Amino acid sequence: MALLAKTELNLIVCIQRDVIVIDSQTNEYTKINIPLPVKKPKSDGESEDPGYADDQESSDSEKKNGKQRSESHQINLAAVSPSGKLIAVTTLGDKFLTVLRICPTNGVTILSKRPLYRVASSIRFSPDSKLVIVADKTGICYAYNAERNSALQIQEADDHGKKLFGHLSIVLDILMTPNQEYVKKESYTKLSFSLN
Amino acid sequence: MGHSEYVSGIEVIGETNLVSVSGDKTIRLWNFKTGDELFQQQLDAPAYKCAINASNHLAVVLLKTPISIGFFSIINDDSPKIISLGEQALSSDFKTVTSVVFNDTNILLVSGVKDNDESLTQSLCLNDTGNCSGELSQLLSKLLAGIKIEQVPDLSILFKKRFDNLKDYHERKKRRIEEKSQDN
């Protein structure tokens, strides 16, 4: 879907799997495509890997429904960091969190790609631009280091993000307050939590 | 801290307050530290998404026909309140909205999907002065031209489902009886 996000210097437009960064002053733009991941071959007895489109599951459900439904691989959510330098996008189908950096010369590069367990329903950067919070439709939130190589206090493995508290249903929006507490929302009620 | 329908947009105001928009047709201002509701503003339609600008103006997507944007000013002083600044209807081409973002303090960009699943954008001015459409609007139209969206979000799932089991049972019984009489 067409998604828009705004930093001080740029307007970001995401369409299908393309991220377009438009310079707000000159209206010149750079486009970058998020490539589809190469699927790892599954060995027998291996538990479900996060992040890769589970073809077997989707083709089974297609047979049940009795109709063909091609799986969408488009970008479904986008967020920009308060610093204006990073963009985070999540994709359907392959369920990845991709973090991109906007370079001063208006180039855009992909910084990292991390798999998600489920399709994201909401993403937001922390006010200090160091974390990306991703929430999914089951209500669980994960925190990821925005810049992979920076030293941070997050204990869990970087790849899968630190798991935060859960809700009972889909999280529609999430934000962090200036002093790094969290506020989450879901479909039917609103709850707030603090990180510390 | 609760609404009576889904809560779909929240933004921080100042150091201690936040504003939330909901399908229960309200915008509410809260102190998130104490959990107190500070102010409530009624809307004439369920709200979907919201965007905020540097002057604490809030743009709220209102789910009516045609989809409209309500503009509000959030006053965050000793007596916090929400003031309505008016409403603008989007083009009737919009079947659903996918993003709202302030491009400028006074210009709101809205992206969405048409009936035929093609994407589109529209610029709205907060003030009536000035030309909203310009080079940027044309660029956006060019970038999005003809691109179809594969999975359009279905907003009806956001509303609480109320199950009427008795009604369901009677309907199923009726259907069973009808099928039996057809078989005979």
Side-chain angles (χ1 to χ4, degrees):
Chain A
M1 52 196 84
L3 295 169
L4 305 171
K6 183 82 179 78
T7 67
E8 220 175 286
L9 301 171
N10 302 102
L11 177 69
I12 318 296
V13 181
C14 300
I15 184 91
Q16 303 285 33
R17 288 185 75 91
D18 291 327
V19 177
I20 304 170
V21 178
I22 305 175
D23 183 317
S24 298
Q25 299 285 330
T26 63
N27 279 350
E28 282 172 12
Y29 65 90
T30 318
K31 191 196 281 198
I32 187 167
N33 180 273
I34 313 280
L36 279 168
V38 173
K39 192 163 181 187
K40 283 193 308 198
K42 263 190 184 168
S43 55
D44 286 349
E46 196 178 304
S47 58
E48 185 194 300
D49 259 331
Y52 299 98
D54 200 344
D55 286 334
Q56 186 58 37
E57 207 178 281
S58 60
S59 62
D60 277 351
S61 64
E62 271 171 32
K63 283 174 192 157
K64 270 190 218 164
N65 292 339
K67 49 189 173 186
Q68 280 301 312
R69 192 174 55 88
S70 64
E71 194 157 296
S72 167
H73 290 269
Q74 63 193 8
I75 294 172
N76 70 327
L77 291 171
V80 288
S81 65
S83 64
K85 296 201 181 99
L86 300 173
I87 308 169
V89 295
T90 59
T91 41
L92 296 174
D94 56 315
K95 294 180 281 197
F96 266 79
L97 167 73
T98 306
V99 180
L100 304 104
R101 185 204 293 280
I102 304 175
C103 307
T105 49
N106 276 347
V108 186
T109 53
I110 294 179
L111 264 189
S112 65
K113 288 183 73 161
R114 274 159 290 183
L116 302 169
Y117 285 97
R118 275 168 288 270
V119 171
S121 61
S122 178
I123 54 172
R124 198 73 92 125
F125 273 89
S126 60
D128 59 6
S129 301
K130 289 197 177 132
L131 297 178
V132 181
I133 318 295
V134 181
D136 63 25
K137 63 180 180 184
T138 59
I140 301 174
C141 283
Y142 294 88
Y144 295 85
N145 291 347
E147 300 217 37
R148 210 163 179 170
N149 297 324
S150 67
L152 258 193
Q153 265 90 50
I154 303 246
Q155 309 283 334
E156 308 273 327
D158 215 280
D159 276 348
H160 294 295
K162 181 183 178 192
K163 185 172 163 178
L164 305 168
F165 13 75
H167 267 257
L168 298 173
S169 68
I170 186 172
V171 176
L172 293 175
D173 201 359
I174 180 170
L175 65 84
M176 273 182 94
T177 56
N179 54 1
Q180 307 278 84
E181 292 177 355
Y182 291 143
V183 176
K184 280 198 311 187
K185 296 174 332 41
E186 59 168 36
S187 291
Y188 307 136
T189 59
K190 188 165 62 164
L191 301 164
S192 85
F193 301 87
S194 68
L195 180 57
N196 299 320
Chain B
M1 299 195 287
H3 281 263
S4 54
E5 276 287 349
Y6 66 83
V7 183
S8 58
I10 43 172
E11 292 292 344
V12 171
I13 308 281
E15 288 290 316
T16 59
N17 296 344
L18 73 90
V19 64
S20 64
V21 301
S22 161
D24 67 1
K25 303 186 196 172
T26 61
I27 307 177
R28 298 187 203 205
L29 195 54
W30 312 83
N31 179 321
F32 58 75
K33 290 198 187 240
T34 62
D36 294 332
E37 185 181 315
L38 301 170
F39 195 88
Q40 195 182 123
Q41 169 76 28
Q42 288 295 325
L43 303 168
D44 57 354
Y48 179 41
K49 282 184 195 274
C50 65
I52 197 157
N53 71 5
S55 318
N56 276 354
H57 291 140
L58 192 74
V60 183
V61 179
L62 299 169
L63 298 177
K64 49 179 167 173
T65 317
I67 301 179
S68 304
I69 308 289
F71 291 97
F72 300 87
S73 178
I74 315 289
I75 312 291
N76 195 37
D77 52 21
D78 293 331
S79 62
K81 49 185 165 286
I82 304 171
I83 298 174
S84 171
L85 299 174
E87 206 175 283
Q88 288 189 45
L90 289 175
S91 146
S92 52
D93 287 335
F94 275 88
K95 180 173 84 170
T96 188
V97 167
T98 50
S99 279
V100 275
V101 75
F102 274 98
N103 188 37
D104 198 284
T105 310
N106 292 321
I107 299 178
L108 186 77
L109 291 175
V110 186
S111 69
V113 185
K114 290 191 213 179
D115 270 325
N116 61 359
D117 291 347
E118 276 181 15
S119 42
L120 77 159
T121 59
Q122 188 173 345
S123 310
L124 293 180
C125 279
L126 194 54
N127 306 325
D128 283 325
T129 58
N131 183 21
C132 280
S133 312
E135 210 181 298
L136 181 64
S137 296
Q138 287 170 8
L139 173 61
L140 287 174
S141 303
K142 191 181 92 171
L143 290 170
L144 299 178
I147 298 183
K148 292 212 171 185
I149 303 303
E150 288 156 20
Q151 252 174 272
V152 182
D154 179 11
L155 303 183
S156 60
I157 61 165
L158 296 175
F159 290 91
K160 281 185 191 171
K161 290 192 177 87
R162 280 166 186 87
F163 294 100
D164 188 347
N165 288 326
L166 200 59
K167 192 176 166 197
D168 272 350
Y169 165 73
H170 284 302
E171 277 177 11
R172 275 188 305 210
K173 185 177 172 186
K174 199 169 130 190
R175 255 182 271 137
R176 251 197 337 260
I177 296 170
E178 277 170 10
E179 276 166 22
K180 246 188 187 169
S181 65
Q182 274 174 11
D183 288 342
N184 288 344

